[in-house]
């Protein structure tokens, strides 16, 4: 199952948790980030469960933890952290209000390859392209992309980024031809979505993406989702990416030329 599947399940889990717990923007403010880590693959037909709770020992002042497991095997498939920053004066009140929904922070959900807070929120399209970022996707928000709150939902942002990401990889030595020759695939290990301003039906969008880091087996990138007509930033998506051997289902080291190439295109 692809990353859009995971995000859609976390979004539904969030709706159900809000209903059960009474959590709302009136109490805790708007969600700042949704930070997802992928731990195991899920396939069509797998039975899944998602458990959600509030972790006051998480990386945010108020952290909602969503834990997705393969119900047939019990294996942890993915985790999501929803970060909120309510008033510091409300901490005691919130602890009391959500006492029946509290849990200890899940270690596996802790951010690893991406910093906890929002990133790149002051970016402009012209500034990014000057640093070496490039547009990888253009599209339009359609009625089917709108969530229950009347705004484009997480899955829409994910779909734009995943539709365009192959063009980002094509800028590196790990091209489509290279991956096919080696029997490798493109994999996301971790993602952080931050909404800046809402999108509505009819808005046109463009995604400008740049690289933010590179390691032995992983590299990081940041997608910037802009509303095209005004140039306003709507959202950012930070991604930890890696190449996977499709026969062994394990991560492989990046070729040396990929390090050199990506290092020359870093936007941070």
């Amino acid at each position: 199952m692809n990353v859009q599947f995971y995000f859609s399940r976390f979004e539904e889990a969030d709706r159900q948790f809000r209903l059960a717990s009474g959590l709302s923007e009136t109490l805790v403010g708007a969600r700042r980030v949704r930070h997802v880590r992928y731990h195991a693959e899920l396939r069509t037909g797998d039975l899944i469960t998602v458990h959600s709770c509030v972790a006051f020992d998480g990386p945010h002042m108020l952290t909602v933890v969503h834990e997705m497991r393969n119900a047939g095997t019990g294996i942890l498939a993915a985790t999501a952290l929803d970060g909120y920053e309510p008033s510091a004066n409300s901490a005691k009140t919130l602890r009391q209000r959500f006492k029946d929904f509290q849990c200890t922070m899940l270690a596996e959900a802790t951010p690893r390859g991406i910093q906890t807070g929002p990133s790149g929120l002051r970016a402009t399209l012209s500034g990014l392209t000057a640093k070496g970022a490039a547009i990888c996707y253009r599209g339009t928000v359609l009625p089917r992309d709108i969530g229950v709150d009347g705004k484009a939902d997480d899955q829409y942002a994910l779909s734009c980024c995943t539709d365009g990401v192959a063009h980002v990889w094509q800028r590196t030595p790990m091209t489509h031809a290279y991956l096919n020759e080696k029997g490798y695939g493109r994999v996301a290990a971790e993602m952080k979505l931050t909404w800046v301003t809402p999108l509505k039906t009819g808005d046109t969008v463009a995604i400008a993406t740049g690289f933010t880091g590179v390691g032995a087996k992983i590299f990081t990138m940041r997608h910037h989702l802009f509303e095209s007509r005004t140039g306003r930033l709507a959202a950012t998506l930070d991604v930890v990416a890696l190449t996977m051997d499709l026969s062994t289902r394990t991560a492989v080291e990046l070729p040396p030329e990929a390090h050199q190439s990506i290092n020359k295109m870093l936007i941070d």
Side-chain angles (χ1 to χ4, degrees):
M1 307 304 293
N2 65 23
V3 295
Q4 295 181 47
F5 165 87
Y6 292 88
F7 264 79
S8 69
R9 295 306 184 272
F10 285 134
E11 187 64 19
E12 185 57 44
D14 179 58
R15 285 194 286 264
Q16 297 299 327
F17 181 68
R18 285 170 175 264
L19 177 64
S21 67
L23 185 145
S24 68
E25 291 190 4
T26 302
L27 291 173
V28 299
R31 187 188 78 203
R32 299 184 78 215
V33 300
R34 171 162 288 164
H35 202 134
V36 175
R37 295 194 65 222
Y38 304 100
H39 305 279
E41 294 178 289
L42 288 170
R43 300 179 182 278
T44 302
D46 283 343
L47 184 66
I48 66 164
T49 59
V50 181
H51 292 94
S52 306
C53 57
V54 176
F56 285 102
D57 60 344
H60 305 275
M61 185 170 293
L62 187 145
T63 304
V64 175
V65 182
H66 304 288
E67 178 183 342
M68 182 187 295
R69 290 187 180 273
N70 184 320
T73 64
I75 293 174
L76 183 66
T79 53
L81 298 181
D82 290 349
Y84 299 88
E85 296 297 329
S87 167
N89 298 329
S90 65
K92 185 176 180 180
T93 302
L94 292 174
R95 283 179 180 273
Q96 181 63 27
R97 187 178 186 103
F98 297 112
K99 65 180 181 179
D100 294 334
F101 301 93
Q102 287 186 42
C103 63
T104 302
M105 174 64 188
L106 185 69
E108 291 88 342
T110 303
R112 300 284 179 87
I114 306 171
Q115 70 178 44
T116 302
S119 306
L121 304 190
R122 296 175 180 244
T124 62
L125 184 54
S126 59
L128 288 169
T129 53
K131 291 180 178 179
I135 292 177
C136 67
Y137 178 87
R138 291 184 184 274
T140 305
V141 181
L142 301 177
R144 64 170 179 261
D145 305 315
I146 301 300
V148 295
D149 58 358
K151 299 178 289 189
D153 57 17
D154 287 3
Q155 193 170 356
Y156 175 72
L158 263 290
S159 68
C160 295
C161 295
T162 53
D163 283 351
V165 75
H167 298 283
V168 181
W169 281 71
Q170 200 69 10
R171 300 180 65 201
T172 78
M174 297 170 292
T175 62
H176 184 68
Y178 169 86
L179 296 173
N180 284 342
E181 178 186 350
K182 296 288 187 179
Y184 295 163
R186 309 180 191 94
V187 175
E190 189 172 349
M191 289 179 163
K192 181 186 67 180
L193 175 64
T194 306
W195 281 100
V196 184
T197 58
L199 292 170
K200 64 182 188 304
T201 302
D203 283 344
T204 55
V205 300
I207 293 182
T209 303
F211 300 102
T212 54
V214 60
K217 292 185 177 181
I218 62 99
F219 63 98
T220 56
M221 67 183 83
R222 184 176 302 129
H223 300 285
H224 305 78
L225 179 60
F226 289 95
E227 194 280 313
S228 303
R229 291 189 182 93
T230 62
R232 65 179 169 85
L233 181 63
T236 63
L237 181 72
D238 287 275
V239 181
V240 176
L242 55 85
T243 53
M244 174 187 283
D245 186 312
L246 297 179
S247 60
T248 64
R249 313 306 290 182
T250 57
V252 296
E253 290 197 1
L254 304 181
E257 55 269 29
H259 287 264
Q260 300 169 8
S261 173
I262 294 172
N263 266 319
K264 292 178 181 178
M265 294 186 285
L266 297 181
I267 61 172
D268 275 0

